[in-house]
Amino acid sequence: MKVSRTREPGLYADGGGLYLQVTNAEARSWIFRFMLNGRARSMGLGSLHTLTLAEARSKATECRKLCLEGIDPIEARENVRAAARLDAANTITFDACSEAYIEAHRKGWRNPKHADQWRNTLATYASPVFGPLPVQAVDTGLVMRAIEPIWGDKTETATRVRGRIEAVLDWAATRGYRQGENPARWRGHLQNLLPKRSKVQRVEHHAALPFTEISDFVRLLRAQAGTSSLALEFTILTAARTGEVIGATWDEIDLAERTWTVPAERMKGGREHRVPLCDRAVVILKSFRVLGDRYVFPGGKRGKPLSNMAMLELLKRMGRPDLTVHGFRSTFRDWAAETTHFPNEMVEMALAHIIENRVEAAYRRGDLFAKRRELMSEWADACYLPRRVEK
């Protein structure tokens, strides 16, 4: 009767560490206070609406018995709950966890295609081995069965699959669906079972045109008609990546200042990149400005950019299937290194490469834009002036 009538906020002792905690007239609950290893702790037992005085006393007695054995009743309760979560996780498969992980991270990925790439690689290599199994059952042996067969022949793919499995298992552990070490972890674990990536992966460079042939190639390129040819010419002049060019929008272009500013979210390195535009690049842009499309290089459908395969298909039509669009960045890099005196860091900035050395990156705060304009102007001259033939 006393318990039911107590409304004044405060702590009311029942004895043996049991207290009725009254926050307000409607919020009343039981707590158990105890000392263990010199540390004072409080443990919530439940609401007065749920537990009667007799039931609260019974729970307090159980807690005192645990304390007598040197066991923290709070930790004991958490262990019971964790075991219950693991039992429930026996019905949660790796496939279900991977799908949940993808959905949870989809909005954080810059490229919408990343979700499909994650889904496809895991479905191809992980799901056939342990996809239908409980996520708690995934162990080192199963992970090895998924990635070891492709580690030598498809090292890049195998590396990505391993990393994605590791991420899904970490997510599952955080959600309480599994316990223990991550069997897909590389450092200190799988690195002991698999050869280093550098030992088995053959380095494949993008097919690049020798810089001595660039003016001849550009002359043939300008004889081609269509958006793809102008987009490729612009790509060569700016030493940009395919995705940066085809995704370019007019709000990134300043024709008056002859500058193209690519926002951080569209850059591989996640940092804004300013590109100086030479005379020919400006002419190319002006020829598209009259179309009134959002994208600088529009695709077949209005409001859509040029396909990421358009320039590569153009190379094939020109009889140069041996080349790649990305390879022209290497052409530019080789030309700068072998025929100019521009410093290496300036060329790296023109290519928007990430500076690996943190100390160097901290001191290099500017982007050498004015000097890079000179660099890109000389590159344009190399692309259009006839090649000198030494006698």
Side-chain angles (χ1 to χ4, degrees):
M1 186 69 69
K2 181 180 177 181
V3 168
S4 64
R5 291 178 177 176
T6 301
R7 303 289 182 179
E8 186 71 20
L11 280 177
Y12 298 88
D14 181 66
L18 179 64
Y19 290 81
L20 175 66
Q21 179 177 257
V22 179
T23 305
N24 55 52
E26 299 301 324
R28 295 176 294 171
S29 60
W30 299 106
I31 63 171
F32 175 68
R33 304 179 72 181
F34 62 98
M35 289 284 295
L36 190 65
N37 299 324
R39 181 185 180 191
R41 305 201 68 185
S42 294
M43 176 181 178
L45 300 180
S47 168
L48 178 60
H49 294 297
T50 306
L51 295 178
T52 65
L53 174 59
E55 290 170 334
R57 286 173 173 170
S58 176
K59 281 184 171 291
T61 299
E62 294 174 5
C63 292
R64 287 195 297 273
K65 289 179 179 178
L66 289 173
C67 290
L68 186 62
E69 299 293 329
I71 300 173
D72 189 322
I74 297 177
E75 293 180 2
R77 182 171 64 184
E78 285 302 312
N79 290 336
V80 171
R81 290 175 176 175
R85 285 195 297 268
L86 284 178
D87 288 340
N90 286 333
T91 60
I92 298 178
T93 66
F94 176 85
D95 280 346
C97 288
S98 63
E99 187 60 33
Y101 177 93
I102 292 170
E103 289 303 317
H105 291 79
R106 180 191 295 274
K107 292 182 179 180
W109 289 326
R110 289 197 304 248
N111 191 334
K113 293 183 179 179
H114 286 170
D116 292 334
Q117 292 169 350
W118 271 69
R119 189 174 286 110
N120 292 338
T121 53
L122 290 174
T124 301
Y125 300 104
S127 294
V129 179
F130 49 78
L133 296 180
V135 69
Q136 177 63 32
V138 179
D139 57 15
T140 302
L142 290 173
V143 174
M144 286 291 289
R145 282 176 55 190
I147 65 175
E148 190 173 24
I150 59 172
W151 190 256
D153 299 331
K154 302 178 180 178
T155 313
E156 181 67 29
T157 299
T159 301
R160 291 180 180 178
V161 171
R162 185 210 62 76
R164 289 167 183 174
I165 293 173
E166 180 182 18
V168 171
L169 295 180
D170 276 343
W171 177 90
T174 303
R175 292 299 298 263
Y177 297 146
R178 64 172 283 121
Q179 285 184 332
E181 293 291 331
N182 193 320
R185 188 183 76 253
W186 175 256
R187 189 178 298 277
H189 188 58
L190 291 185
Q191 71 174 123
N192 300 322
L193 302 176
L194 293 166
K196 290 183 179 180
R197 175 178 168 181
S198 59
K199 299 294 184 181
V200 296
Q201 184 179 27
R202 183 179 62 186
V203 178
E204 295 183 1
H205 299 285
H206 291 279
L209 184 77
F211 68 86
T212 55
E213 300 176 16
I214 188 63
S215 61
D216 292 337
F217 176 84
V218 171
R219 178 174 52 81
L220 294 174
L221 176 63
R222 294 189 65 177
Q224 307 297 313
T227 301
S228 299
S229 60
L230 291 172
L232 179 56
E233 188 179 355
F234 183 84
T235 303
I236 294 172
L237 291 172
T238 55
R241 299 179 177 89
T242 299
E244 296 159 9
V245 172
I246 64 175
T249 54
W250 285 109
D251 58 349
E252 300 173 3
I253 305 295
D254 188 336
L255 290 175
E257 295 295 328
R258 299 158 60 90
T259 303
W260 170 32
T261 304
V262 190
E265 59 268 21
R266 292 211 309 108
M267 292 299 300
K268 182 178 180 180
R271 296 181 62 182
E272 181 183 276
H273 179 53
R274 292 197 301 163
V275 183
L277 301 172
C278 66
D279 294 341
R280 175 58 184 168
V282 171
V283 171
I284 292 173
L285 291 174
K286 287 182 177 179
S287 69
F288 284 98
R289 187 59 165 160
V290 296
L291 298 180
D293 199 280
R294 177 193 173 209
Y295 291 98
V296 174
F297 299 102
K301 295 182 180 180
R302 186 167 183 80
K304 297 291 184 180
L306 190 68
S307 166
N308 64 347
M309 293 296 293
M311 291 186 278
L312 189 60
E313 291 298 323
L314 171 64
L315 288 173
K316 293 180 181 178
R317 291 197 301 272
M318 292 177 65
R320 296 306 303 264
D322 56 313
L323 300 178
T324 65
V325 179
H326 197 88
F328 287 103
R329 286 166 56 84
S330 296
T331 303
F332 166 76
R333 185 71 185 83
D334 293 342
W335 164 83
E338 298 194 30
T339 69
T340 77
H341 296 288
F342 290 102
N344 177 67
E345 59 267 23
M346 188 186 302
V347 180
E348 292 298 298
M349 281 188 174
L351 292 167
H353 280 162
I354 299 173
I355 305 171
E356 299 294 341
N357 188 308
R358 293 185 179 180
V359 175
E360 183 183 356
Y363 279 98
R364 193 189 300 172
R365 297 170 187 260
D367 63 357
L368 305 176
F369 188 75
K371 293 183 178 180
R372 284 197 290 116
R373 190 178 289 282
E374 297 177 17
L375 169 65
M376 302 315 290
S377 178
E378 288 195 23
W379 170 237
D381 289 342
C383 290
Y384 295 113
L385 295 179
R387 178 167 58 95
R388 294 181 180 177
V389 179
E390 296 182 359
K391 296 182 179 179

PDB file of all heavy atoms in Angstrom, residues 271-274 345 349 355 357-369 372:
ATOM      1  N   ARG A 271      38.631  15.933 -53.427  1.00  0.00           N
ATOM      2  CA  ARG A 271      39.018  17.330 -53.250  1.00  0.00           C
ATOM      3  C   ARG A 271      38.708  18.113 -54.513  1.00  0.00           C
ATOM      4  O   ARG A 271      38.868  17.608 -55.622  1.00  0.00           O
ATOM      5  CB  ARG A 271      40.515  17.458 -52.932  1.00  0.00           C
ATOM      6  CG  ARG A 271      40.938  16.825 -51.629  1.00  0.00           C
ATOM      7  CD  ARG A 271      42.414  17.013 -51.385  1.00  0.00           C
ATOM      8  NE  ARG A 271      42.757  18.424 -51.279  1.00  0.00           N
ATOM      9  CZ  ARG A 271      43.997  18.882 -51.109  1.00  0.00           C
ATOM     10  NH1 ARG A 271      45.008  18.023 -51.028  1.00  0.00           N
ATOM     11  NH2 ARG A 271      44.239  20.159 -51.025  1.00  0.00           N
ATOM     12  N   GLU A 272      38.254  19.356 -54.344  1.00  0.00           N
ATOM     13  CA  GLU A 272      37.949  20.210 -55.497  1.00  0.00           C
ATOM     14  C   GLU A 272      39.189  20.361 -56.374  1.00  0.00           C
ATOM     15  O   GLU A 272      40.307  20.489 -55.879  1.00  0.00           O
ATOM     16  CB  GLU A 272      37.472  21.572 -55.003  1.00  0.00           C
ATOM     17  CG  GLU A 272      37.112  22.544 -56.112  1.00  0.00           C
ATOM     18  CD  GLU A 272      36.711  23.898 -55.588  1.00  0.00           C
ATOM     19  OE1 GLU A 272      35.513  24.053 -55.229  1.00  0.00           O
ATOM     20  OE2 GLU A 272      37.584  24.800 -55.505  1.00  0.00           O
ATOM     21  N   HIS A 273      38.968  20.375 -57.695  1.00  0.00           N
ATOM     22  CA  HIS A 273      40.094  20.451 -58.637  1.00  0.00           C
ATOM     23  C   HIS A 273      39.806  21.523 -59.678  1.00  0.00           C
ATOM     24  O   HIS A 273      38.794  21.469 -60.379  1.00  0.00           O
ATOM     25  CB  HIS A 273      40.292  19.090 -59.314  1.00  0.00           C
ATOM     26  CG  HIS A 273      41.410  19.074 -60.305  1.00  0.00           C
ATOM     27  ND1 HIS A 273      42.693  19.481 -59.998  1.00  0.00           N
ATOM     28  CD2 HIS A 273      41.447  18.682 -61.616  1.00  0.00           C
ATOM     29  CE1 HIS A 273      43.471  19.340 -61.056  1.00  0.00           C
ATOM     30  NE2 HIS A 273      42.739  18.867 -62.047  1.00  0.00           N
ATOM     31  N   ARG A 274      40.698  22.521 -59.762  1.00  0.00           N
ATOM     32  CA  ARG A 274      40.555  23.572 -60.768  1.00  0.00           C
ATOM     33  C   ARG A 274      41.415  23.234 -61.978  1.00  0.00           C
ATOM     34  O   ARG A 274      42.590  22.890 -61.840  1.00  0.00           O
ATOM     35  CB  ARG A 274      40.968  24.925 -60.196  1.00  0.00           C
ATOM     36  CG  ARG A 274      40.038  25.453 -59.116  1.00  0.00           C
ATOM     37  CD  ARG A 274      40.262  26.937 -58.914  1.00  0.00           C
ATOM     38  NE  ARG A 274      41.643  27.244 -58.517  1.00  0.00           N
ATOM     39  CZ  ARG A 274      42.186  28.462 -58.602  1.00  0.00           C
ATOM     40  NH1 ARG A 274      41.485  29.468 -59.097  1.00  0.00           N
ATOM     41  NH2 ARG A 274      43.431  28.667 -58.191  1.00  0.00           N
ATOM     42  N   GLU A 345      55.739  17.984 -58.913  1.00  0.00           N
ATOM     43  CA  GLU A 345      54.544  18.237 -58.114  1.00  0.00           C
ATOM     44  C   GLU A 345      53.488  19.006 -58.900  1.00  0.00           C
ATOM     45  O   GLU A 345      52.288  18.835 -58.687  1.00  0.00           O
ATOM     46  CB  GLU A 345      54.887  18.978 -56.825  1.00  0.00           C
ATOM     47  CG  GLU A 345      55.551  20.321 -56.994  1.00  0.00           C
ATOM     48  CD  GLU A 345      57.061  20.220 -56.958  1.00  0.00           C
ATOM     49  OE1 GLU A 345      57.604  19.134 -57.231  1.00  0.00           O
ATOM     50  OE2 GLU A 345      57.696  21.238 -56.632  1.00  0.00           O
ATOM     51  N   MET A 349      49.699  17.729 -59.711  1.00  0.00           N
ATOM     52  CA  MET A 349      48.513  18.540 -59.446  1.00  0.00           C
ATOM     53  C   MET A 349      47.624  18.621 -60.685  1.00  0.00           C
ATOM     54  O   MET A 349      46.393  18.608 -60.573  1.00  0.00           O
ATOM     55  CB  MET A 349      48.921  19.941 -59.006  1.00  0.00           C
ATOM     56  CG  MET A 349      49.351  20.035 -57.566  1.00  0.00           C
ATOM     57  SD  MET A 349      49.592  21.746 -57.071  1.00  0.00           S
ATOM     58  CE  MET A 349      49.899  21.527 -55.316  1.00  0.00           C
ATOM     59  N   ILE A 355      48.359  13.262 -52.882  1.00  0.00           N
ATOM     60  CA  ILE A 355      49.716  13.266 -52.336  1.00  0.00           C
ATOM     61  C   ILE A 355      49.786  12.284 -51.188  1.00  0.00           C
ATOM     62  O   ILE A 355      49.113  12.453 -50.178  1.00  0.00           O
ATOM     63  CB  ILE A 355      50.111  14.675 -51.848  1.00  0.00           C
ATOM     64  CG1 ILE A 355      49.928  15.682 -52.994  1.00  0.00           C
ATOM     65  CG2 ILE A 355      51.530  14.695 -51.334  1.00  0.00           C
ATOM     66  CD1 ILE A 355      50.089  17.121 -52.546  1.00  0.00           C
ATOM     67  N   ASN A 357      52.429  11.482 -49.315  1.00  0.00           N
ATOM     68  CA  ASN A 357      53.240  11.945 -48.205  1.00  0.00           C
ATOM     69  C   ASN A 357      52.482  13.019 -47.429  1.00  0.00           C
ATOM     70  O   ASN A 357      52.235  14.115 -47.928  1.00  0.00           O
ATOM     71  CB  ASN A 357      54.566  12.522 -48.738  1.00  0.00           C
ATOM     72  CG  ASN A 357      55.536  12.851 -47.614  1.00  0.00           C
ATOM     73  OD1 ASN A 357      55.189  13.551 -46.679  1.00  0.00           O
ATOM     74  ND2 ASN A 357      56.749  12.339 -47.731  1.00  0.00           N
ATOM     75  N   ARG A 358      52.097  12.731 -46.177  1.00  0.00           N
ATOM     76  CA  ARG A 358      51.274  13.658 -45.401  1.00  0.00           C
ATOM     77  C   ARG A 358      52.006  14.950 -45.078  1.00  0.00           C
ATOM     78  O   ARG A 358      51.402  16.024 -45.025  1.00  0.00           O
ATOM     79  CB  ARG A 358      50.805  12.977 -44.111  1.00  0.00           C
ATOM     80  CG  ARG A 358      49.841  11.831 -44.350  1.00  0.00           C
ATOM     81  CD  ARG A 358      49.322  11.284 -43.032  1.00  0.00           C
ATOM     82  NE  ARG A 358      48.368  10.201 -43.263  1.00  0.00           N
ATOM     83  CZ  ARG A 358      47.758   9.549 -42.272  1.00  0.00           C
ATOM     84  NH1 ARG A 358      47.983   9.877 -41.014  1.00  0.00           N
ATOM     85  NH2 ARG A 358      46.912   8.575 -42.552  1.00  0.00           N
ATOM     86  N   VAL A 359      53.305  14.856 -44.839  1.00  0.00           N
ATOM     87  CA  VAL A 359      54.076  16.057 -44.521  1.00  0.00           C
ATOM     88  C   VAL A 359      54.107  16.969 -45.738  1.00  0.00           C
ATOM     89  O   VAL A 359      53.879  18.181 -45.653  1.00  0.00           O
ATOM     90  CB  VAL A 359      55.504  15.685 -44.080  1.00  0.00           C
ATOM     91  CG1 VAL A 359      56.338  16.952 -43.859  1.00  0.00           C
ATOM     92  CG2 VAL A 359      55.464  14.842 -42.824  1.00  0.00           C
ATOM     93  N   GLU A 360      54.390  16.395 -46.907  1.00  0.00           N
ATOM     94  CA  GLU A 360      54.425  17.179 -48.140  1.00  0.00           C
ATOM     95  C   GLU A 360      53.063  17.795 -48.424  1.00  0.00           C
ATOM     96  O   GLU A 360      52.953  18.953 -48.834  1.00  0.00           O
ATOM     97  CB  GLU A 360      54.859  16.289 -49.308  1.00  0.00           C
ATOM     98  CG  GLU A 360      54.984  17.033 -50.628  1.00  0.00           C
ATOM     99  CD  GLU A 360      55.344  16.109 -51.784  1.00  0.00           C
ATOM    100  OE1 GLU A 360      55.571  14.905 -51.538  1.00  0.00           O
ATOM    101  OE2 GLU A 360      55.380  16.607 -52.919  1.00  0.00           O
ATOM    102  N   ALA A 361      51.998  17.008 -48.200  1.00  0.00           N
ATOM    103  CA  ALA A 361      50.645  17.491 -48.462  1.00  0.00           C
ATOM    104  C   ALA A 361      50.285  18.648 -47.544  1.00  0.00           C
ATOM    105  O   ALA A 361      49.590  19.588 -47.942  1.00  0.00           O
ATOM    106  CB  ALA A 361      49.638  16.347 -48.283  1.00  0.00           C
ATOM    107  N   ALA A 362      50.764  18.603 -46.288  1.00  0.00           N
ATOM    108  CA  ALA A 362      50.452  19.657 -45.328  1.00  0.00           C
ATOM    109  C   ALA A 362      51.092  20.981 -45.729  1.00  0.00           C
ATOM    110  O   ALA A 362      50.513  22.050 -45.542  1.00  0.00           O
ATOM    111  CB  ALA A 362      50.922  19.241 -43.938  1.00  0.00           C
ATOM    112  N   TYR A 363      52.298  20.932 -46.288  1.00  0.00           N
ATOM    113  CA  TYR A 363      52.986  22.150 -46.675  1.00  0.00           C
ATOM    114  C   TYR A 363      52.527  22.682 -48.028  1.00  0.00           C
ATOM    115  O   TYR A 363      52.660  23.864 -48.320  1.00  0.00           O
ATOM    116  CB  TYR A 363      54.502  21.906 -46.712  1.00  0.00           C
ATOM    117  CG  TYR A 363      55.131  21.964 -45.343  1.00  0.00           C
ATOM    118  CD1 TYR A 363      55.386  20.799 -44.625  1.00  0.00           C
ATOM    119  CD2 TYR A 363      55.446  23.187 -44.747  1.00  0.00           C
ATOM    120  CE1 TYR A 363      55.946  20.855 -43.355  1.00  0.00           C
ATOM    121  CE2 TYR A 363      56.008  23.251 -43.477  1.00  0.00           C
ATOM    122  CZ  TYR A 363      56.256  22.081 -42.787  1.00  0.00           C
ATOM    123  OH  TYR A 363      56.811  22.146 -41.528  1.00  0.00           O
ATOM    124  N   ARG A 364      51.995  21.822 -48.869  1.00  0.00           N
ATOM    125  CA  ARG A 364      51.577  22.247 -50.199  1.00  0.00           C
ATOM    126  C   ARG A 364      50.113  22.680 -50.141  1.00  0.00           C
ATOM    127  O   ARG A 364      49.197  21.902 -50.386  1.00  0.00           O
ATOM    128  CB  ARG A 364      51.749  21.102 -51.206  1.00  0.00           C
ATOM    129  CG  ARG A 364      51.642  21.567 -52.644  1.00  0.00           C
ATOM    130  CD  ARG A 364      51.588  20.406 -53.602  1.00  0.00           C
ATOM    131  NE  ARG A 364      52.759  19.562 -53.522  1.00  0.00           N
ATOM    132  CZ  ARG A 364      52.854  18.404 -54.165  1.00  0.00           C
ATOM    133  NH1 ARG A 364      51.845  17.960 -54.886  1.00  0.00           N
ATOM    134  NH2 ARG A 364      53.941  17.672 -54.054  1.00  0.00           N
ATOM    135  N   ARG A 365      49.878  23.926 -49.793  1.00  0.00           N
ATOM    136  CA  ARG A 365      48.516  24.398 -49.579  1.00  0.00           C
ATOM    137  C   ARG A 365      47.905  24.976 -50.854  1.00  0.00           C
ATOM    138  O   ARG A 365      46.697  24.953 -51.027  1.00  0.00           O
ATOM    139  CB  ARG A 365      48.490  25.446 -48.458  1.00  0.00           C
ATOM    140  CG  ARG A 365      48.932  24.834 -47.124  1.00  0.00           C
ATOM    141  CD  ARG A 365      49.150  25.890 -46.067  1.00  0.00           C
ATOM    142  NE  ARG A 365      49.734  25.280 -44.869  1.00  0.00           N
ATOM    143  CZ  ARG A 365      49.047  24.961 -43.803  1.00  0.00           C
ATOM    144  NH1 ARG A 365      47.764  25.147 -43.758  1.00  0.00           N
ATOM    145  NH2 ARG A 365      49.633  24.420 -42.757  1.00  0.00           N
ATOM    146  N   GLY A 366      48.715  25.572 -51.728  1.00  0.00           N
ATOM    147  CA  GLY A 366      48.197  26.145 -52.964  1.00  0.00           C
ATOM    148  C   GLY A 366      48.040  25.083 -54.037  1.00  0.00           C
ATOM    149  O   GLY A 366      48.390  23.920 -53.853  1.00  0.00           O
ATOM    150  N   ASP A 367      47.489  25.499 -55.187  1.00  0.00           N
ATOM    151  CA  ASP A 367      47.336  24.533 -56.282  1.00  0.00           C
ATOM    152  C   ASP A 367      48.140  24.935 -57.515  1.00  0.00           C
ATOM    153  O   ASP A 367      47.964  24.363 -58.588  1.00  0.00           O
ATOM    154  CB  ASP A 367      45.856  24.367 -56.645  1.00  0.00           C
ATOM    155  CG  ASP A 367      45.227  25.648 -57.162  1.00  0.00           C
ATOM    156  OD1 ASP A 367      45.927  26.686 -57.192  1.00  0.00           O
ATOM    157  OD2 ASP A 367      44.044  25.615 -57.547  1.00  0.00           O
ATOM    158  N   LEU A 368      49.064  25.943 -57.355  1.00  0.00           N
ATOM    159  CA  LEU A 368      49.958  26.349 -58.453  1.00  0.00           C
ATOM    160  C   LEU A 368      49.178  26.613 -59.736  1.00  0.00           C
ATOM    161  O   LEU A 368      49.638  26.292 -60.829  1.00  0.00           O
ATOM    162  CB  LEU A 368      51.019  25.257 -58.693  1.00  0.00           C
ATOM    163  CG  LEU A 368      51.875  24.839 -57.486  1.00  0.00           C
ATOM    164  CD1 LEU A 368      52.799  23.692 -57.860  1.00  0.00           C
ATOM    165  CD2 LEU A 368      52.680  26.025 -56.966  1.00  0.00           C
ATOM    166  N   PHE A 369      48.016  27.226 -59.595  1.00  0.00           N
ATOM    167  CA  PHE A 369      47.113  27.341 -60.737  1.00  0.00           C
ATOM    168  C   PHE A 369      47.708  28.144 -61.890  1.00  0.00           C
ATOM    169  O   PHE A 369      47.623  27.736 -63.050  1.00  0.00           O
ATOM    170  CB  PHE A 369      45.785  27.956 -60.287  1.00  0.00           C
ATOM    171  CG  PHE A 369      44.736  27.933 -61.346  1.00  0.00           C
ATOM    172  CD1 PHE A 369      44.076  26.745 -61.661  1.00  0.00           C
ATOM    173  CD2 PHE A 369      44.400  29.081 -62.044  1.00  0.00           C
ATOM    174  CE1 PHE A 369      43.103  26.716 -62.645  1.00  0.00           C
ATOM    175  CE2 PHE A 369      43.430  29.054 -63.025  1.00  0.00           C
ATOM    176  CZ  PHE A 369      42.783  27.874 -63.334  1.00  0.00           C
ATOM    177  N   ARG A 372      50.251  26.146 -63.573  1.00  0.00           N
ATOM    178  CA  ARG A 372      49.643  25.020 -64.296  1.00  0.00           C
ATOM    179  C   ARG A 372      48.986  25.485 -65.591  1.00  0.00           C
ATOM    180  O   ARG A 372      48.884  24.717 -66.548  1.00  0.00           O
ATOM    181  CB  ARG A 372      48.616  24.306 -63.409  1.00  0.00           C
ATOM    182  CG  ARG A 372      49.236  23.419 -62.363  1.00  0.00           C
ATOM    183  CD  ARG A 372      48.260  22.426 -61.770  1.00  0.00           C
ATOM    184  NE  ARG A 372      47.257  23.064 -60.939  1.00  0.00           N
ATOM    185  CZ  ARG A 372      45.963  23.065 -61.208  1.00  0.00           C
ATOM    186  NH1 ARG A 372      45.509  22.495 -62.316  1.00  0.00           N
ATOM    187  NH2 ARG A 372      45.114  23.651 -60.379  1.00  0.00           N
TER     188      ARG A 372
END
